[in-house]
Amino acid sequence: MISANLSAVFYLASGILFILALRGLSSPETSRQGNLFGILGMIIAITVTILSVGNFSSSIIYLLVFFVAGGAIGSFIAFKIPMTAMPELVAGFHSLVGLAAVFVAISAFLNPGAFNLGSPSNIKLASLVEMSIGAAIGAITFTGSIIAFLKLRGIMSGAPITFTGQHFINLALGISIIVLIFYLCKTQVDSFFWSVIFISFLIGILLIIPIGGADMPVVISMLNSYSGWAAAGIGFTLENTALIITGALVGSSGAILSYIMCKGMNRSFANVILGGFGADNSSNEVGKNKDQKPVKNGNAEDAAFLMKNASSVIIVPGYGMAVAQAQHALREMVDKLKKNGVTIKYAIHPVAGRMPGHMNVLLAEANVPYDEVFELDDINNDFANTDVAFVIGANDVTNPIAKTDPKSPIFGMPVLDVEKCKSVLFVKRSLSPGYAGVDNELFYRDNTLMLFADAKKMTEDIVKNIE
């Protein structure tokens, strides 16, 4: 056992480590150190929590069983999961955080004495409010994350799923949760508590299904924020300082990131949070350009010739690179070009891939120098003065239609001005649309040469031809 004062000190220390972790993760150069701070903070928090459990001797076996089981599952996933599946993995983890908050709230409601919250039907008012809000946000996070997982995994369509009166139903359900929590606090009737959880599960589904694939990176960030607030709410119920600090950090940072991404994509923050409220249901006629305009086909030899004789090349990586695991072949190609005196830069869109920072992580995995990687705002003006843009698996983030067609689902989203380069090499398996379901006008531009192939295979062939 450990005293309450000593627990508070250790929880404060873990909270400081979590803050340092968040600060470290804000930059690629310090991300490893930040990750280590986070691991150390979590080890301290878990250890103190275990030592603070009452009847420690009789509970240690159960604690160890679940600790070992959870650790084994987490380790297995960490070793086996490919980088391409990281977005859906994050969504899956968010769902578990939300479900954990719901389970803790249920435990506290059914057995409040174990948490020093009073007795059944006589729970402290503040604790009842906290556990109700925590359970509601946790339930929304759980089902919302499950839908995000299914969309990212391709099990469910990435297209928005809408129906008449959807937003009014969401509004009515949201108001009903507030009303139910009020009557729960007034009467402490069990049925109100279970109704809050059930309706929250339903809202989680309804909030995410109308959000399309183009906005999925924002959804991942938003659900991250929800999971943090759910944890913070339950932290207040349990009077656990570490949980409150951690939840508040995750919740606030996730909300800030979601806002920044919405601003960067010219999306309404309230729109995304409220499940695409006010979204235009009109859709593009995908593929209409394919039947009307020809494309220029190229091969590895053509691409190698163009880049080898260029003075500058900007590389635009996307999800296709991740799927093909082409980042290492890409790095080899870049090294060959540099030996020929070619200036290389990488252009990263904030939502390239399916989660924030997806491309940055893949490039870091291939030891790409940080000073060669530029965000959209820092590099967009350079395309007009660049000889070749090498687009490897990116699609929606390079689509010029985002600037010209008000009816497009991605209209208004800032995109990389790839079309302004003298030549564009576009590596893609086919002319299929991107994750947003929108045909890419860049395919049909006069200065675009399509390289139809697996991204890794094409890049390896280009390397051979450069040599």
Side-chain angles (χ1 to χ4, degrees):
M1 289 293 292
I2 187 172
S3 67
N5 290 336
L6 197 55
S7 296
V9 171
F10 280 116
Y11 279 146
L12 181 60
S14 68
I16 293 172
L17 287 169
F18 291 144
I19 294 172
L20 293 174
L22 195 61
R23 183 175 183 273
L25 292 172
S26 64
S27 169
E29 291 90 341
T30 58
S31 59
R32 289 181 182 272
Q33 184 184 60
N35 200 29
L36 289 174
F37 280 138
I39 292 171
L40 181 58
M42 187 56 67
I43 289 174
I44 293 174
I46 292 174
T47 303
V48 173
T49 300
I50 291 175
L51 294 176
S52 300
V53 173
N55 299 320
F56 180 77
S57 57
S58 60
S59 304
I60 185 63
I61 301 298
Y62 298 105
L63 291 170
L64 288 176
V65 168
F66 287 112
F67 183 80
V68 172
I73 294 172
S75 299
F76 177 80
I77 292 174
F79 281 112
K80 292 293 184 180
I81 199 75
M83 273 302 303
T84 52
M86 194 58 67
E88 50 259 47
L89 175 66
V90 172
F93 280 165
H94 290 163
S95 73
L96 294 178
V97 175
L99 189 61
V102 173
F103 282 159
V104 173
I106 291 173
S107 299
F109 183 78
L110 296 178
N111 189 14
F115 300 90
N116 297 318
L117 304 178
S119 58
S121 300
N122 191 29
I123 301 173
K124 297 176 185 177
L125 179 60
S127 299
L128 198 57
V129 172
E130 292 160 0
M131 73 174 69
S132 300
I133 294 175
I137 299 176
I140 292 171
T141 304
F142 173 68
T143 50
S145 297
I146 293 297
I147 297 299
F149 173 86
L150 295 175
K151 282 178 174 263
L152 289 166
R153 195 69 177 175
I155 299 173
M156 176 183 288
S157 171
I161 300 173
T162 58
F163 53 85
T164 304
Q166 186 172 28
H167 303 305
F168 292 105
I169 292 175
N170 289 347
L171 179 62
L173 291 175
I175 293 174
S176 68
I177 286 180
I178 296 174
V179 173
L180 285 169
I181 291 177
F182 172 78
Y183 280 105
L184 172 64
C185 294
K186 189 174 182 180
T187 64
Q188 300 205 14
V189 175
D190 291 11
S191 58
F192 290 135
F193 180 75
W194 298 114
S195 297
V196 167
I197 294 177
F198 176 78
I199 294 174
S200 298
F201 279 139
L202 182 59
I203 288 180
I205 296 173
L206 295 176
L207 281 177
I208 305 302
I209 58 173
I211 300 178
D215 292 326
M216 198 50 62
V218 183
V219 172
I220 293 293
S221 177
M222 179 185 71
L223 291 170
N224 178 51
S225 178
Y226 286 176
S227 68
W229 295 126
I234 296 302
F236 279 108
T237 300
L238 302 180
E239 298 182 351
N240 188 303
T241 307
L243 200 53
I244 294 171
I245 294 174
T246 307
L249 282 173
V250 173
S252 56
S253 61
I256 293 170
L257 178 59
S258 299
Y259 175 77
I260 292 173
M261 292 180 68
C262 284
K263 188 175 180 181
M265 295 170 64
N266 196 29
R267 290 289 193 267
S268 166
F269 183 59
N271 190 346
V272 176
I273 288 179
L274 297 176
F277 187 85
D280 185 1
N281 292 331
S282 62
S283 60
N284 260 21
E285 295 179 23
V286 176
K288 63 181 179 181
N289 288 330
K290 290 183 206 173
D291 299 327
Q292 300 173 1
K293 296 182 180 180
V295 297
K296 295 180 181 179
N297 292 342
N299 53 38
E301 186 178 354
D302 299 327
F305 177 81
L306 280 173
M307 288 193 285
K308 192 164 54 173
N309 291 281
S311 61
S312 58
V313 173
I314 295 179
I315 296 171
V316 182
Y319 189 68
M321 183 191 75
V323 171
Q325 289 290 286
Q327 62 269 28
H328 296 286
L330 181 65
R331 172 64 194 274
E332 185 180 358
M333 184 191 81
V334 167
D335 289 342
K336 299 291 183 184
L337 292 173
K338 286 180 179 178
K339 288 181 180 178
N340 287 335
V342 181
T343 301
I344 302 292
K345 293 181 180 179
Y346 295 82
I348 303 292
H349 192 281
V351 295
R354 295 189 188 176
M355 64 181 290
H358 199 177
M359 293 302 106
N360 301 70
V361 173
L362 285 171
L363 294 179
E365 185 182 305
N367 295 316
V368 171
Y370 298 130
D371 58 358
E372 294 179 3
V373 181
F374 297 88
E375 297 287 344
L376 179 146
D377 291 338
D378 298 324
I379 201 170
N380 243 5
N381 292 331
D382 294 352
F383 284 105
N385 302 314
T386 299
D387 293 324
V388 178
F390 185 74
V391 183
I392 178 168
N395 200 334
D396 295 325
V397 298
T398 63
N399 196 340
I401 203 172
K403 297 178 283 188
T404 60
D405 186 359
K407 294 183 178 180
S408 171
I410 63 172
F411 179 71
M413 182 180 83
V415 293
L416 293 162
D417 294 334
V418 175
E419 76 278 3
K420 294 181 180 180
C421 281
K422 295 176 183 177
S423 299
V424 178
L425 299 174
F426 208 121
V427 182
K428 202 172 184 298
R429 289 180 179 271
S430 68
L431 289 174
S432 61
Y435 197 65
V438 182
D439 196 25
N440 194 339
E441 281 192 352
L442 186 60
F443 299 161
Y444 315 102
R445 295 292 177 103
D446 292 335
N447 61 334
T448 299
L449 191 66
M450 297 299 297
L451 307 174
F452 293 113
D454 172 80
K456 184 177 181 181
K457 179 66 167 57
M458 174 57 70
T459 307
E460 290 173 342
D461 289 343
I462 292 174
V463 171
K464 293 176 185 177
N465 281 276
I466 290 175
E467 294 173 341

